[in-house]
Amino acid sequence: MPISLADKRATFRKLHESGCFPIPNPFDVGSAKALAGIGFKALASTSAGFAWTIGKSDNRVTIDDVCTHLSALCAAVDLPVNADFEGGFAHEPDKVAVNVARGVKTGVAGLSIEDSTGDAAKPLYDRALAIERIKAARKAIDADRSGVLLTGRCEGFLVGQDDLAMVIDLLCAYADAGAECLYAPGIKTKEQITAVVKAVAPKPVNLLIGASGLSVKEAADLGVRRISVGGSLARTAWAGFMRAAKEIAEQGSFTELAKGYPGGDLNKMFR
């Protein structure tokens, strides 16, 4: 029997109560099904990874693009899916609320809202406005009692404002505004991670880990609840594709193709 949406959302909430779990980021239906088959407990979309699949750069997709993508991911797997919902695809809190309500209807179990503006001159929203945006997302989620888990993201370290005290202040404010999980992509050191975990406790923390990052056990020992990899899996896939394509174009040889994943195994996986 298919897993119900209510069950997916309940399972996702349960995962945030204790322990530490990786939540890898598929970029299309095929990668979502592959990750589900490997045995992960939940998945998270990646704005960058998805954007590249439709020939756009990160932060250049539309709300229509994303909702179609999220609906497809959620329908493809029996796992809970967390949505990278960027900044809610609007500046004003009331418009963020409208878009969040639309995102909830795609079948996601969780949804994150970030505080970056996209404006290099002023990369983060003013504190008061950023808090109101989280409150608006919270209200939209609660309106239909969906049970979707809200993550509040502070993008300071990603936009060059790596003031840990400021980031922690914002995360705590987002928690007070209704965020149930907190996320500061870009923090890397054990000291930074520990400080964030302690500051927002007992609420869970999502940690972004790349190729040179901590192990799941090391992150768990620091109190991290959830680990995502952002666009890293997508970039890894693109790395193989570009190496093979450039070899053909520039050298007229095809040796990189021998490194491809076996087609027979892929057919079995998607059967």
Side-chain angles (χ1 to χ4, degrees):
M1 292 289 293
I3 305 292
S4 73
L5 179 54
D7 286 342
K8 288 183 182 181
R9 289 171 172 170
T11 296
F12 195 54
R13 286 189 167 277
K14 190 71 174 176
L15 287 170
H16 289 78
E17 293 178 4
S18 63
C20 180
F21 67 99
I23 182 168
N25 305 78
F27 42 88
D28 61 8
V29 166
S31 56
K33 287 187 174 183
L35 291 170
I38 289 172
F40 290 100
K41 298 177 181 178
L43 306 177
S45 70
T46 159
S47 61
F50 165 60
W52 300 330
T53 69
I54 59 173
K56 294 185 178 183
S57 61
D58 193 15
N59 301 124
R60 292 293 182 270
V61 296
T62 67
I63 180 69
D64 290 338
D65 291 332
V66 168
C67 285
T68 298
H69 172 60
L70 291 173
S71 295
L73 290 185
C74 293
V77 296
D78 285 335
L79 297 181
V81 174
N82 186 80
D84 178 347
F85 214 61
E86 301 189 24
F89 303 94
H91 297 293
E92 302 85 353
D94 60 331
K95 293 181 180 178
V96 169
V98 170
N99 289 339
V100 166
R102 185 175 171 187
V104 166
K105 287 180 172 56
T106 65
V108 295
L111 182 148
S112 64
I113 294 293
E114 58 196 52
D115 56 9
S116 56
T117 65
D119 180 356
K122 189 176 183 181
L124 296 179
Y125 287 107
D126 290 335
R127 186 179 188 277
L129 178 56
I131 292 170
E132 288 304 310
R133 285 162 45 81
I134 295 294
K135 287 182 177 179
R138 174 81 270 153
K139 186 176 180 180
I141 289 171
D142 291 344
D144 65 356
R145 301 179 182 178
S146 66
V148 167
L149 189 140
L150 176 62
T151 296
R153 290 176 50 151
C154 179
E155 306 291 287
F157 275 71
L158 293 188
V159 299
Q161 295 193 12
D162 53 355
D163 179 342
L164 185 61
M166 176 202 72
V167 169
I168 287 175
D169 171 70
L170 288 169
L171 291 177
C172 290
Y174 299 161
D176 290 341
E180 300 161 277
C181 181
L182 290 309
Y183 184 12
I187 61 171
K188 294 179 180 178
T189 70
K190 292 183 178 181
E191 293 74 20
Q192 291 169 340
I193 296 164
T194 298
V196 168
V197 168
K198 288 183 176 179
V200 304
K203 293 196 174 180
V205 168
N206 183 100
L207 178 66
L208 176 69
I209 291 185
S212 60
L214 305 171
S215 68
V216 172
K217 184 181 184 305
E218 288 170 328
D221 289 343
L222 297 176
V224 170
R225 182 75 73 237
R226 186 174 98 185
I227 301 169
S228 55
V229 297
S232 293
L233 286 173
R235 289 189 293 103
T236 300
W238 277 104
F241 175 90
M242 293 302 292
R243 280 196 302 270
K246 285 185 176 182
E247 182 195 3
I248 296 168
E250 297 169 4
Q251 301 176 36
S253 55
F254 303 85
T255 59
E256 285 291 330
L257 297 182
K259 300 176 183 178
Y261 200 78
D265 290 350
L266 289 170
N267 287 332
K268 288 179 183 178
M269 182 167 61
F270 295 132
R271 185 170 296 162

